[in-house]
């Protein structure tokens, strides 16, 4: 039975934690209590990144993290903060995800 590599779990945890951090910073514009929570979440992101680098190289981890993070923060922005997307935003997201897929295939 094939299991999901540890690096995938780390990247997913990083994305979830970073998305919470960004959401806290966005909410801190209305309520300053969220600012400290955002800093705490980013400290956790730093720790998880260090652990992730033990399993894979910087380029692959950063590319995967960035692409999934763009998707996650876009979804949160649209659903939670009622932000809108334009056609060029969809195109940019497609390019980012495509780039990561190409990197993964070639490595």
């Amino acid at each position: 039975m094939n299991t999901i590599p540890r690096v995938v779990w780390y990247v997913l945890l990083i994305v979830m934690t970073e998305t919470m951090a960004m959401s806290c910073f966005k909410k801190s514009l209305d309520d300053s209590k969220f600012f400290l929570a955002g800093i705490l979440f980013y400290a956790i992101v730093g720790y998880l990144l260090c652990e992730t680098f033990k399993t894979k190289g910087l380029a692959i981890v950063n590319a995967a993290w960035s692409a999934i993070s763009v998707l996650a923060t876009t979804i949160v922005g649209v659903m939670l903060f009622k932000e809108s997307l334009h056609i060029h935003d969809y195109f940019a997201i497609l390019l980012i995800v495509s780039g990561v897929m190409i990197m993964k295939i070639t490595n």
Side-chain angles (χ1 to χ4, degrees), residues 5-76:
R6 199 166 70 172
V7 67
V8 172
W9 291 114
Y10 277 130
V11 170
L12 290 175
L13 280 171
I14 290 167
V15 169
M16 289 187 319
T17 307
E18 183 189 31
T19 303
M20 289 188 290
M22 287 187 180
S23 298
C24 285
F25 286 141
K26 175 88 173 179
K27 287 183 102 25
S28 75
L29 298 173
D30 297 325
D31 185 352
S32 61
K33 291 183 290 193
F34 287 98
F35 186 78
L36 291 176
I39 291 172
L40 175 65
F41 283 126
Y42 264 116
I44 295 169
V45 167
Y47 170 77
L48 291 171
L49 271 174
C50 289
E51 291 299 311
T52 305
F53 293 147
K54 293 176 184 176
T55 63
K56 284 285 182 189
L58 178 67
I60 295 298
V61 170
N62 190 49
W65 166 33
S66 295
I68 299 169
S69 181
V70 166
L71 292 173
T73 54
T74 300
I75 291 167
V76 168

